[in-house]
Amino acid sequence: MLFRSQALKTNKTLTTLDLRYNKIGGAGATSLSKSLKLNTTLTALDLSFNWICDKGVASLSESL
């Protein structure tokens, strides 16, 4: 997840991203949130059924 989220920084066409059931944890959520801060096209993100801890949720909420 750490390296794949880097693509979101430069992606200009993706509007929906479904990451359900991917075992994303706190570190993955933090990495994802850094990329989301720079992404301007994503309008829907589904992170249901992952293992995101409080720190990861806080990081994501700041970026969104």
Side-chain angles (χ1 to χ4, degrees), residues 1-63:
M1 180 60 154
L2 296 176
F3 296 110
R4 292 181 214 144
S5 66
Q6 298 295 320
L8 287 174
K9 290 181 179 180
T10 57
N11 186 288
K12 302 294 183 210
T13 57
L14 185 67
T15 59
T16 302
L17 183 58
D18 184 348
L19 294 172
R20 292 177 293 167
Y21 298 100
N22 276 282
K23 300 180 184 177
I24 297 170
T30 300
S31 177
L32 180 61
S33 69
K34 291 176 184 176
S35 297
L36 289 174
K37 285 181 183 180
L38 300 174
N39 183 290
T40 58
T41 58
L42 195 66
T43 58
L45 174 63
D46 191 345
L47 293 169
S48 304
F49 306 101
N50 282 289
W51 302 335
I52 301 171
C53 61
D54 292 344
K55 184 179 177 182
V57 170
S59 183
L60 284 167
S61 66
E62 288 176 18
S63 67

